[in-house]
Amino acid sequence: MAETATTSTAVSWTQHGAWADIAQAGQLGAAGPAGVTAILQGGFGLATLIATPGGAPALSGLVESRTGITLPATPTIVSGASHDAIWSGPEQWLLRAATHDGFAELLEALSVQAAVSEQSDARAAVRLSGPQIRDALAKGVMLDLHPAAFAVGDTALTSIAHIGVHLWRLTDEPDGSVFEIMVARSMVGSFWSWFAASAAEFGCQVSIDRSTGRG
Amino acid sequence: MRITCPHCGARDAQEFSYLGAADPKRPEGMAASEAAMATYVYQRDNPAGVHRELWYHGAGCHAWLVVSRDTRTHAITAVEPAKARKAGATA
Ligand SMILES: [Zn+2]
C-alpha cells in the first residue's frame, strides 16, 4: 500500500514551466516573414537581493567575488559569463543564474550581506527581438524604447496593460533592438494575452528555450 | 502628468499612487492630546500653489517620494526620496 501511494505521488509531481499551457512554439498572427521573435525562457535560477542599510558596496563585493559581476547602482543590467545582476529598485537587485547548478549554495553565501529571496519559479521571462519589436511593445510600454532614449543594458520597472513588468535591453541583433521582459508568473496568462494581440499584425515567431535563462 | 522618479526617471503619473500632504508630523505616541491628534489626522492646507505631497512609485521601484507640485499648473519643481527626508538628510 505504502509503495503504491509513493508511486502515485511521484507521478503527480511533474515540472510545469511558467509558459506551459499559455504560449506555444510556432507562428502567431500574420503569416510570412516574422516582424517579431519571442523566445520563451526557462531553467534559470533567480533571486531578489536587498542590501542591508549602507551594505550595498559590501554586497556588491561579495557578489563579484562569487560571480565576477558587480551590482549596478543605476537602472541597468550587468551580465557576466553565467550570471546577470538586474537593478530592481534602490539597493535591490535580481540575481539570475543561467542554471540552477550551485545557485542555492550561492544564495546561502550571499545571505550574510543581504535579504535573499529565491524567485526561480516566481517569474517568467521572454526574449523579444525582430525588426518590429518596438512597434509591438509601443502598444503597451509607456517608456520611450528608441535606442537614443533606452540604451543597451538599460532596465526599467514599469507596467504593461496594468501588469507589472521588468524589462531590459540586450545587445542588438542585425535586425534591431533586443529586449527581455520578466513578469510575475501568476500574470503570465494576462501578459501573453496582451503580447499575442499586440504582436499579431507583425507576425511573431515563438520558440522555447528550455536550456537556460539566457538569450 | 509625468513625475521624474529620482530612481527610475520620468514616468507617467499612472505608475504612482498619491497619499497626501508630505509634511504633517504624527504627534509623539501616547502623550499626544486629542486636539493634536485631530489636527494631525484631519487638518490640511489646500494651497493654490506649491504643495509638498507623498507619492508611491508602486508600478516602478516601490519608493516613496516627496513631490513639490503646483496645484494650479501641475508643474513639478522637486522630487526627492521620502526615505532621505525621514533619515534627516533633507528638510
Ligand atoms: Zn521609481
Side-chain angles (χ1 to χ4, degrees):
Chain A
M1 285 299 282
E3 261 182 318
T4 308
T6 305
T7 306
S8 106
T9 303
V11 169
S12 69
W13 286 96
T14 54
Q15 276 202 347
H16 192 81
W19 297 102
D21 305 330
I22 291 170
Q24 290 79 39
Q27 180 93 0
L28 188 156
V36 173
T37 301
I39 305 174
L40 310 173
Q41 308 288 303
F44 53 81
L46 188 75
T48 55
L49 308 181
I50 302 179
T52 53
L59 176 60
S60 184
L62 184 57
V63 169
E64 186 175 17
S65 73
R66 303 286 304 223
T67 67
I69 56 172
T70 56
L71 299 175
T74 55
T76 51
I77 173 172
V78 174
S79 295
S82 56
H83 293 78
D84 303 308
I86 308 150
W87 185 93
S88 64
E91 311 211 315
Q92 300 173 44
W93 299 268
L94 284 177
L95 180 67
R96 179 167 65 173
T99 72
H100 286 280
D101 296 339
F103 193 58
E105 190 265 330
L106 171 63
L107 297 186
E108 184 71 37
L110 298 179
S111 67
V112 300
Q113 289 286 353
V116 178
S117 177
E118 154 71 55
Q119 301 286 344
S120 299
D121 295 318
R123 310 281 175 95
V126 59
R127 183 184 186 280
L128 301 170
S129 59
Q132 284 165 301
I133 184 56
R134 284 199 290 114
D135 297 320
L137 290 177
K139 297 182 186 184
V141 177
M142 292 182 281
L143 305 176
D144 185 355
L145 297 181
H146 188 277
F150 198 80
V152 170
D154 279 355
T155 181
L157 290 151
T158 184
S159 59
I160 293 175
H162 303 283
I163 302 159
V165 300
H166 203 162
L167 68 87
W168 49 90
R169 187 171 160 210
L170 300 170
T171 305
D172 286 355
E173 288 182 344
D175 57 3
S177 300
V178 182
F179 300 93
E180 190 164 14
I181 292 183
M182 206 172 253
V183 294
R185 183 169 176 156
S186 57
M187 299 303 289
V188 167
S190 300
F191 173 80
W192 193 253
S193 172
W194 170 82
F195 178 78
S198 300
E201 66 165 302
F202 309 113
C204 178
Q205 185 64 40
V206 182
S207 61
I208 298 170
D209 179 359
R210 294 190 194 283
S211 59
T212 73
R214 308 174 69 79
Chain B
M1 188 171 87
R2 296 217 286 178
I3 296 173
T4 301
C5 173
H7 305 299
C8 301
R11 298 298 181 89
D12 192 274
Q14 178 182 326
E15 290 195 4
F16 302 80
S17 305
Y18 177 74
L19 184 73
D23 294 321
K25 294 284 189 294
R26 188 185 177 88
E28 195 49 55
M30 302 303 284
S33 68
E34 207 172 293
M37 280 308 292
T39 299
Y40 165 71
V41 173
Y42 296 112
Q43 295 297 323
R44 292 292 181 274
D45 293 334
N46 186 19
V50 176
H51 187 226
R52 281 165 50 81
E53 53 200 21
L54 288 166
W55 288 80
Y56 175 59
H57 197 184
C61 65
H62 306 115
W64 282 96
L65 307 172
V66 177
V67 175
S68 298
R69 177 180 64 95
D70 192 312
T71 59
R72 298 163 302 183
T73 61
H74 295 310
I76 291 171
T77 47
V79 185
E80 315 146 65
K83 193 176 178 182
R85 186 190 59 139
K86 194 176 176 187
T90 57

